[in-house]
Amino acid sequence: MTRRAPFSPGTLILLEITKNGVSLVTNAAVVYNLKDQFMGICFEEMPPDRATILADWIKAAISLLNC
């Protein structure tokens, strides 16, 4: 989720996330918008190298939860 959500469900977006100098740029679709404060997105099909970046970030986040 993100803090500002000016997009309606169904809107296709180009998403860029940067963490520790690594950028992930991919297509996504807005799935829901909660009172223009939060939105959920669904990642569209992405090349394997970008999917690996996202998977690594998710694994790192999960490992922080399992402390």
Side-chain angles (χ1 to χ4, degrees):
M1 283 196 262
T2 184
R3 286 265 175 213
R4 298 293 297 162
F7 303 115
S8 300
T11 302
L12 299 177
I13 59 173
L14 179 63
L15 177 71
E16 181 176 5
I17 304 170
T18 301
K19 179 180 177 195
N20 298 330
V22 178
S23 290
L24 169 68
V25 179
T26 191
N27 294 313
V30 177
V31 178
Y32 63 86
N33 178 332
L34 298 177
K35 300 179 183 178
D36 289 329
Q37 294 181 23
F38 300 97
M39 70 180 177
I41 59 169
C42 176
F43 294 104
E44 300 290 314
E45 187 174 333
M46 66 178 80
D49 60 325
R50 293 183 194 157
T52 299
I53 292 169
L54 182 60
D56 289 345
W57 288 346
I58 292 170
K59 287 176 192 173
I62 289 170
S63 69
L64 292 175
L65 296 174
N66 292 326
C67 291

